[in-house]
Amino acid sequence: AKAMRIRPLEAKDLSDIAPLGLDKHTPLWFYVLREADRVAGGQTLGPAGGRIVTEVFIGLLEGDRMSYLRENPEWTPTLPSVKKNDFRIADLLKFAGVA
């Protein structure tokens, strides 16, 4: 979180693993899950976890020579959105009829 300039979890959020010495050297998978629990009530990823997942997806799209991101990097969605010029995944799911 610090490396991404995101406010890290507070010491109290990791106090239960302090006896194991993991509060200062927390495994990434545990940190991401704890962050999701503390920041978003476990409903979504927190800022650090969300950014990691997003950057992995972007890296995969950039690395795939057949992806739309490589084929047409200037592409923008043309499907309807709830808020003009603000296309979100919820808009895609609504268009697909699954939300």
Side-chain angles (χ1 to χ4, degrees), residues 4-26:
M4 291 187 257
R5 293 186 170 91
I6 295 170
R7 191 177 84 166
L9 292 175
E10 296 178 20
K12 67 178 179 159
D13 294 322
L14 300 169
S15 63
D16 60 324
I17 58 173
L20 303 171
L22 296 175
D23 58 326
K24 303 285 187 226
H25 302 284
T26 310

Side-chain angles (χ1 to χ4, degrees), residues 15-94:
S15 63
D16 60 324
I17 58 173
L20 303 171
L22 296 175
D23 58 326
K24 303 285 187 226
H25 302 284
T26 310
L28 179 60
W29 65 269
F30 186 89
Y31 186 91
V32 168
L33 291 174
R34 181 58 59 93
E35 180 189 57
D37 179 57
R38 294 297 192 256
V39 174
Q43 297 297 307
T44 64
L45 291 171
R51 181 167 169 185
I52 290 168
V53 170
T54 300
E55 288 187 12
V56 167
F57 276 116
I58 290 172
L60 290 169
L61 289 169
E62 288 176 339
D64 179 358
R65 61 185 173 83
M66 300 294 287
S67 78
Y68 68 89
L69 195 58
R70 288 274 301 270
E71 290 287 320
N72 188 359
E74 301 301 318
W75 178 83
T76 57
T78 57
L79 294 174
S81 58
V82 172
K83 187 176 175 186
K84 186 175 171 117
N85 297 323
D86 188 26
F87 188 83
R88 297 182 178 257
I89 193 72
D91 297 313
L92 176 63
L93 295 173
K94 184 176 179 183

